Every structure is written in C-alpha cells, then in structure tokens.
Amino acid sequence: GSGMQKALRASGGTAFRKAENHPLQQGLWLCGLVGLFILCHHLFQRHSQGVEPALVAIGALGAWRYGWAACHGARAFWYLKVQFPAMRRRAERWEGQPASALYCLVTAYKMPPAIFAASFRRLFQDAAAYPGEVTVVASVTSESEQSTLEQWFQECGAPNHVRLWLLLQDGSGKRAAMGEGLRAIARDAPCAGSLVVLMDGDTVLMPGSLRRSARLFQAYPSLGAASTDNRAAVAGGPVLREWYDLRLAQRHWMMASLAVSRRLLVLTGRFSLIRAEHATQRSFVEQ
C-alpha cells in the first residue's frame, strides 16, 4: 500500500517500499537484455559448428541463472556481514527507551497439541518479558483451545501489561481469520508507534524476539515493516530435515539479498511486524 514506503528485514533480509518504475531503470534493464541477446547470438555464430543448438541454449540459460545466483549471493553476504550488523548495533543502543506497544496476531488452525503448546507458551513468556504493553490476539478453532490458552496465560502470571484476546475462527481460512484479527485491533485504536506482529500458530519464538525486533522500529522511524529469518524444527527423517533446512536457507539468502535494497518478497510468513497505522488501514485489512 501507499503507506508502506520502507521496511527492513530484521534478521537477514529487508522489507519493501513502494515500487518505482523509473525510466532510467527500465532503460538499463532493456539495454542489458539486448546486450545479452547480442552476446549469445555472437557466441552461437562463432562456436556453433559441431555443437547442438540445444546445448548452446541450455548454456545461455545456465549462465543467466547462475549469474543471478552469484549476484544474490554477494548481496546477501554484504547484508548479513556488514549492513545488518550495523543496523543491529544502532537498534541495541535503544536499551532502556520506552518500547512500542505490540499486538501479536496469531492464527492457529487445528495444530497438533505439542506444537500448539510450544508456540503459545513461548509467546506468553516473551510477552511477559517485553518492556511495553502487549496484546495477544489468538485466533483458534475451538472453545477448548480458548480455555487452554486462558489456563496457560494464568500459569505465566497474567502480567498486567499483557492482554489476551481470544477469537474463534469460522472455518473460512487463515486469511479471513487474519482480517478479523486486524479489525479487532483497529477497533482498539492503537496508539502512535504501536506494532502489529503477524505469526503462525506453529512458530516458536527465540527468547527476546519481540524486544529485539521492536527495537528496529525505534531506531528507524521510517521503517514500515520487518520480517525475520527462521529455522525449521522437523520431526522426520534426515532427508526431510535437510530439505526443510535447504528450503529456508534459500529463502533467507534471497531475502537478505533484497534487503540491501530495502525490499521484501513476502511480509506475513512465520513472524513479521508491521506498524499498526499501516496494518489497520481498511485497504490492507480487506486485502
């Protein structure tokens, strides 16, 4: 939306701003494509004797693909080793400053009991340790889950600065549940500087995730949204575990590369933060 002018990725990738189709940028892309076509045609004319055209085409596509991979790899390395550590150091200097109010919107659809417990217990613990107001908006599928969450919340001490709101999904899907949760947050009229956390019911936070992520918004007032990297905890064979690790590593790599340009491919995912002034806009909620 128009309000999402800039965003950062909080642990290995940055967020996005409104796309700008600058004529110079379009011209550079066109020149690059034309140059690549001329180069491929020239190489084919000089070295096509005794070589199947299909092999030349595959080689050209491979050079294009792995050339982009090398570009993204270099950008990701720069972001993870140079750019983001500097941003993290700046954010850490906000220790002791008033923290932003958080609304944690969690959608959980028929999660296995063990995963459900690990996710919400850790969230309650992190919310209790957060140095500001936190509202946990839990969108679940049954009244028994609601009762269980109330019990766990009391076991965590039910801190005065933490509120628990329970929503019952109507079975029409995760997106509809997110929309209802955002409408409930909008009706509460979040104060200036508030943040909305979007996370899934199978996400288990590392200790301090809420505090460390929210600090970025204090250090960067123009920051509109942020997402984080994540690791998979998989119950299965070694092949399945390796596949998930590879999949998330590729996501982390690509997102870190785009982070150099203050952009993101996706924002919801497993754990993301958005300024409440953007997340509660009618157009955003309807989308």
Side-chain angles (χ1 to χ4, degrees):
S2 59
M4 291 287 192
Q5 294 179 354
K6 187 185 291 186
L8 288 169
R9 185 156 195 270
S11 184
T14 293
F16 62 84
R17 54 191 169 189
K18 188 176 181 181
E20 298 177 357
N21 296 320
H22 197 280
L24 178 60
Q25 186 180 23
Q26 294 177 342
L28 291 174
W29 271 106
L30 181 60
C31 291
L33 290 175
V34 172
L36 179 64
F37 176 79
I38 294 174
L39 177 62
C40 291
H41 179 74
H42 178 69
L43 292 176
F44 179 75
Q45 292 293 331
R46 291 189 58 184
H47 305 286
S48 61
Q49 295 181 357
V51 179
E52 290 292 337
L55 295 179
V56 177
I58 292 175
L61 290 175
W64 172 267
R65 177 182 177 87
Y66 290 105
W68 270 116
C71 177
H72 283 301
R75 287 168 56 91
F77 181 85
W78 171 261
Y79 181 79
L80 295 174
K81 298 301 182 182
V82 179
Q83 188 171 342
F84 182 74
M87 291 189 289
R88 170 55 64 195
R89 288 191 296 269
R90 176 176 173 178
E92 292 299 323
R93 290 198 293 268
W94 283 80
E95 181 71 46
Q97 299 293 328
S100 305
L102 295 183
Y103 291 84
C104 299
L105 174 55
V106 190
T107 53
Y109 183 77
K110 296 182 179 179
M111 293 294 175
I115 298 176
F116 187 79
S119 177
F120 277 97
R121 284 182 180 273
R122 182 64 64 83
L123 174 60
F124 289 152
Q125 294 170 2
D126 216 41
Y130 186 75
E133 295 182 358
V134 180
T135 301
V136 177
V137 185
S139 178
V140 295
T141 55
S142 67
E143 294 181 356
S144 63
E145 289 180 340
Q146 291 181 328
S147 299
T148 300
L149 290 180
E150 289 180 340
Q151 177 184 345
W152 291 342
F153 183 62
Q154 295 299 324
E155 291 176 358
C156 289
N160 293 330
H161 69 286
V162 181
R163 297 183 295 177
L164 175 62
W165 294 353
L166 299 173
L167 303 179
L168 196 62
Q169 297 182 25
D170 60 6
S172 57
K174 173 184 175 181
R175 301 298 174 183
M178 291 174 62
E180 288 302 315
L182 291 174
R183 291 185 183 95
I185 294 172
R187 288 193 293 269
D188 195 50
C191 61
S194 299
L195 304 175
V196 174
V197 176
L198 299 177
M199 58 180 287
D200 289 341
D202 59 354
T203 297
V204 180
L205 299 179
M206 295 293 291
S209 295
L210 296 178
R211 174 179 54 83
R212 287 171 56 83
S213 299
R215 279 184 184 173
L216 286 169
F217 291 83
Q218 296 175 289
Y220 295 90
S222 62
L223 176 62
S227 187
T228 63
D229 62 320
N230 51 83
R231 296 293 303 274
V234 182
V239 175
L240 185 62
R241 290 196 298 269
E242 289 294 333
W243 184 82
Y244 269 100
D245 281 341
L246 177 61
R247 177 186 176 189
L248 293 180
Q250 289 177 328
R251 176 186 184 274
H252 184 42
W253 183 37
M254 177 63 71
M255 297 275 275
S257 172
L258 296 179
V260 176
S261 302
R262 301 292 194 271
R263 297 172 183 267
L264 278 180
L265 283 175
V266 295
L267 192 58
T268 53
R270 302 296 181 186
F271 180 83
S272 297
L273 301 91
I274 313 175
R275 288 198 184 274
E277 60 192 86
H278 303 320
T280 56
Q281 288 182 2
R282 182 176 179 180
S283 59
F284 185 91
V285 176
E286 289 179 349
Q287 185 178 7

